[in-house]
Amino acid sequence: MDFDQHFTQALDGLKSDGNYRIFAEVERQCGSFPKVKRFVGDTVQEVTVWCSNDYLGMGHHADVVQTMVDAVQSCGTGAGGTRNISGNNHMHRLLEKEMADLHGKESALLFTSGYVSNWAALSTLGARIPNAVILSDEKNHASMIEGIRHSRADKVLWKHNDWRDLDRKMKAVGDRPKIVAFESVYSMDGDICPMREIVEVAEAHGAMTYLDEVHAVGMYGPRGGGISEERGLADRITLIEGTLGKAYGVMGGYITGSEALCDFVRSFASGFIFTTALPPACAAAATASVRHLKHSQAERIAQHERVARLRAKLDAKGIPHLPNDSHIIPVMIGDPVKCRMISDILMQDWGIYVQPINYPTVPKGTERLRITPGPLHSDADMDHLVTALASLWQQCALAHAVA
């Protein structure tokens, strides 16, 4: 077999369908976010990022940056191996205590990313709880899907955010250990789950609840504990999972729950046992970020205002975007080639970076630009974005009329 020929043909198929991913070469500059440098050959272009998951700009916060610098100078750059080999670094334990406190849980367990924490926890729970069945929202993240698949537990899909369908599926499962897996904020549509109803259905059936708060921690609730804190439901949810790489601006993932649950995952999850631990400096910086956002409302208030203002400006220009109650603004394109083209023009001609979101990340026909306004986007940044989008929308409308 000519392996390279096979690889090339598969890549050519992606390109012809408009689904081939092209990564911009950029460099974040401390203190300048959301402005970044873009490198194209020998030229450098300043662009404004509108699609970052560093939702609050905490990756550039002075205290967070200095904490990481101090930790590197104190501890060095790496963890030295897995925690099983190198031990529990003190900074790991401090961060785990901080995350347990954030969600009102007895314990927490740190992973290298949110993807790994979902994969490791769900695969372990599904595999190690005898006769378990995992009831998964049909729009759950790939990391949750992979974890469930790896567990080899029986899986039942329920309609997205449809707690009545969940109830029907739970009844059909019968008297088996049940794990209900769902997210608070869904990253592509930006919709928020009916959490109270889902929790009540799970409680009625004696099920364990597994909540992914990746796109909500730091963003919602009086201390940044996510939608579960905002709605007063954290104490009724068995396991809350989150990330340190989005609103907290650093790196890492975690789960929180009872002491027995976290120790169970720690003891049996291969994704924890055999993975090199997060660098202590990352843990220290994340701890500083979490502590700051437990007490400061300024970043969340400014971010919510930016989102509302941008939505109003898009509406005024007739630019279609999905309505939701979160910080994520999906501007709908509906065609992969056009989505890629619009993204390229925005970058090249307008100095605006918005990565196109195409299949398989979203279903075919729902291609979009996923815009995430933050507290550091200025009014001028916002006006420039809307002007650019309005110009492109007018050009697309004229081209369609001519065709």
Side-chain angles (χ1 to χ4, degrees), residues 59-74:
H60 295 260
H61 191 280
D63 292 343
V64 176
V65 172
Q66 190 59 52
T67 298
M68 181 175 280
V69 170
D70 292 344
V72 167
Q73 292 178 337
S74 173

Side-chain angles (χ1 to χ4, degrees), residues 94-114:
L94 290 177
L95 178 54
E96 286 174 340
K97 289 180 180 179
E98 207 68 47
M99 304 323 296
D101 172 77
L102 177 67
H103 296 295
K105 301 298 183 185
E106 291 179 349
S107 188
L109 188 65
L110 183 63
F111 295 83
T112 51
S113 73

Side-chain angles (χ1 to χ4, degrees), residues 281-362:
C282 288
T287 300
S289 184
V290 173
R291 286 175 176 169
H292 175 84
L293 289 174
K294 279 182 177 179
H295 301 287
S296 175
Q297 298 294 332
E299 292 82 4
R300 285 188 283 274
I301 291 171
Q303 199 270 345
H304 294 164
E305 184 276 332
R306 296 284 85 184
V307 171
R309 183 181 289 263
L310 181 56
R311 283 191 180 278
K313 288 179 176 291
L314 293 173
D315 286 338
K317 294 293 185 179
I319 298 170
H321 56 97
L322 287 183
N324 61 53
D325 294 323
S326 79
H327 55 284
I328 296 166
I329 303 178
V331 172
M332 306 307 292
I333 308 298
D335 178 272
V337 176
K338 287 183 180 178
C339 198
R340 174 82 260 174
M341 178 188 70
I342 291 172
S343 174
D344 289 345
I345 294 172
L346 286 172
M347 179 79 94
Q348 187 62 43
D349 296 347
W350 296 85
I352 292 170
Y353 178 29
V354 185
Q355 184 72 0
I357 307 295
N358 290 348
Y359 177 84
T361 306
V362 295

Side-chain angles (χ1 to χ4, degrees), residues 35 48 50 306 309-310 312-314 316-317 319 346 350 352 377-391:
K35 308 293 184 185
T48 303
W50 281 97
R306 296 284 85 184
R309 183 181 289 263
L310 181 56
K313 288 179 176 291
L314 293 173
K317 294 293 185 179
I319 298 170
L346 286 172
W350 296 85
I352 292 170
H377 285 108
S378 68
D379 288 346
D381 292 334
M382 201 170 295
D383 289 340
H384 185 61
L385 171 66
V386 173
T387 298
L389 287 173
S391 174

Side-chain angles (χ1 to χ4, degrees), residues 25 102 200 216:
E25 183 180 347
L102 177 67
E200 289 175 352

Side-chain angles (χ1 to χ4, degrees), residues 89-144:
N89 186 279
H90 182 58
M91 292 179 182
H92 293 150
R93 295 300 298 135
L94 290 177
L95 178 54
E96 286 174 340
K97 289 180 180 179
E98 207 68 47
M99 304 323 296
D101 172 77
L102 177 67
H103 296 295
K105 301 298 183 185
E106 291 179 349
S107 188
L109 188 65
L110 183 63
F111 295 83
T112 51
S113 73
Y115 192 105
V116 174
S117 56
N118 267 335
W119 179 87
L122 278 167
S123 64
T124 301
L125 294 170
R128 293 279 178 171
I129 297 175
N131 200 32
V133 58
I134 302 178
L135 297 104
S136 176
D137 184 289
E138 65 182 0
K139 288 193 176 182
N140 276 342
H141 189 262
S143 58
M144 302 175 79

Side-chain angles (χ1 to χ4, degrees), residues 79-97 107-112 253-255 262 266 271-280 283:
T82 68
R83 289 167 73 171
N84 182 54
I85 291 173
S86 297
N88 268 337
N89 186 279
H90 182 58
M91 292 179 182
H92 293 150
R93 295 300 298 135
L94 290 177
L95 178 54
E96 286 174 340
K97 289 180 180 179
S107 188
L109 188 65
L110 183 63
F111 295 83
T112 51
Y254 64 89
I255 62 169
C262 291
R266 182 191 71 87
F272 175 83
I273 296 169
F274 300 106
T275 300
T276 297
L278 199 68

